[in-house]
Amino acid sequence: MTPEEKLEKCYESFKAKIDFKPDVALILGSGLGALADEIDVKAVLNYDEIEGFPLSTVPGHKGRFVFGYIGEVPVVIMQGRVHYYEGYAMQDVVLPTRLMRKMGAEVLFLTNASGAANPDYSAGDFMLISDQISDFVPSPLIGANFESLGVRFPDMSDIYNKELRSVVRNTAKELGIKLQEGVYIQLTGPNFESPAEVRMCRMLGADAIGMSTACEAIAANHAGMKIVGISCVANLGCGLTDTPLTHKEVIEAADKAAPLFKKLIRASIENIYSEILKK
Ligand code: HPA
């Protein structure tokens, strides 16, 4: 089966079970999954009910799509994503993103937990993603082009949509939530970076480091989605602090930030809908 046929099969599996058209797709990162339990849920689809779907193996990541409403906005939420470091091919890592596009979502709202490369950031900060560096992982577009989704050589000059970013910025201001803005770099993981690697990321122009998101943004941009992303800075990058990093610390930091993060995401999605999508 070609990757495009696999996507088609997953879509058929979804269509056979769920009758829902989302406008916004939301991917929840480490420790942030609880947001999906707080919306007006209309349907749930576990990843293991979808034939051929890549299953997440990370503790703390649930594996399901939740369909429902945030305010009046029809959304599909990925509660748990798959990562390249789990051993999946990049085309599988971005299959869920492409599937949500096929479900009808026009906007992709990406979230993640990250480590700061920018020494001015603090643990618990939120960073609106202005741009990204993805060159340390393979492009998800390598291989035969999905002509049904997009062109062979897609432009990447405005991956994180300017209008959407402006809405999120204004939303944060209204809510009195501090929002950094910067460049996200995706490394493979699963190991955290060495101090020299954090310095390298900084020299390359990155503000936050993580193990997801950029590949999904490339696939979504290829498929013509409008993208916005917020990173929850869970920790300072290695070398910017003396304490060794653990996954537990990342989850705890994300948990702590979650109430405010959820508030920002919900309000941003409602504002994106009323100010951009509905027009
Ligand atoms: N590095 C990479 N990914 C991360 C980090 C980090 O320090 N913290 C949370 N995700």
Side-chain angles (χ1 to χ4, degrees):
M1 207 186 323
T2 66
E4 203 162 2
E5 285 164 354
K6 192 167 171 180
L7 175 64
E8 197 53 46
K9 207 159 182 68
C10 288
Y11 180 66
E12 281 164 18
S13 201
F14 152 77
K15 269 308 240 193
K17 295 183 172 98
I18 306 283
D19 180 22
F20 190 90
K21 186 205 165 280
D23 281 348
V24 174
L26 170 62
I27 303 185
L28 295 175
S30 303
L32 304 167
L35 172 58
D37 301 323
E38 295 167 19
I39 70 160
D40 175 15
V41 177
K42 292 295 175 207
V44 168
L45 184 62
N46 293 322
Y47 297 158
D48 60 11
E49 293 176 67
I50 308 170
E51 212 185 314
F53 197 87
L55 300 176
S56 173
T57 58
V58 187
H61 283 252
K62 275 191 190 165
R64 56 188 205 161
F65 286 114
V66 176
F67 303 87
Y69 291 86
I70 292 180
E72 56 167 338
V73 193
V75 296
V76 53
I77 301 182
M78 275 191 82
Q79 211 175 14
R81 55 151 63 94
V82 280
H83 300 83
Y84 184 60
Y85 61 73
E86 292 176 74
Y88 293 103
M90 249 326 165
Q91 295 215 340
D92 280 335
V93 175
V94 302
L95 184 148
T97 301
R98 288 172 159 161
L99 184 56
M100 294 191 291
R101 174 59 167 159
K102 280 180 86 77
M103 291 173 187
E106 283 174 53
V107 165
L108 176 63
F109 203 119
L110 289 159
T111 71
N112 60 48
S114 64
N118 185 332
D120 297 333
Y121 288 5
S122 311
D125 278 357
F126 302 138
M127 184 190 87
L128 180 61
I129 305 177
S130 59
D131 202 352
Q132 67 180 33
I133 299 170
S134 66
D135 307 79
F136 290 87
V137 296
S139 168
L141 306 183
I142 290 173
N145 185 44
F146 285 36
E147 293 293 335
S148 60
L149 292 182
V151 296
R152 173 75 288 191
F153 301 107
D155 172 62
M156 292 284 150
S157 55
D158 187 28
I159 302 178
Y160 295 92
N161 183 274
K162 277 192 193 71
E163 281 180 315
L164 298 194
R165 274 193 280 149
S166 167
V167 173
V168 174
R169 224 179 276 127
N170 291 338
T171 306
K173 207 174 281 171
E174 275 162 29
L175 295 172
I177 295 174
K178 179 180 157 197
L179 189 63
Q180 307 279 13
E181 188 160 349
V183 173
Y184 178 88
I185 188 168
Q186 178 176 4
L187 304 183
T188 65
N191 52 292
F192 292 115
E193 303 69 43
S194 70
E197 287 163 344
V198 172
R199 285 197 299 277
M200 173 195 74
C201 290
R202 186 65 189 144
M203 281 162 63
L204 292 177
D207 296 287
I209 309 171
M211 306 174 192
S212 66
T213 302
C215 56
E216 293 152 347
I218 289 176
N221 192 50
H222 171 249
M225 297 178 91
K226 288 193 163 95
I227 304 160
V228 68
I230 309 179
S231 187
C232 174
V233 178
N235 54 273
L236 295 177
C238 184
L240 298 180
T241 158
D242 291 335
T243 44
L245 287 175
T246 61
H247 181 58
K248 186 162 166 275
E249 179 190 340
V250 170
I251 296 290
E252 279 171 5
D255 276 349
K256 206 165 137 202
L260 214 53
F261 202 48
K262 284 189 271 190
K263 207 166 143 183
L264 176 59
I265 292 166
R266 293 174 78 121
S268 294
I269 287 176
E270 293 196 66
N271 289 339
I272 285 169
Y273 189 71
S274 62
E275 290 173 33
I276 294 176
L277 277 183
K278 242 169 106 173
K279 281 190 181 154

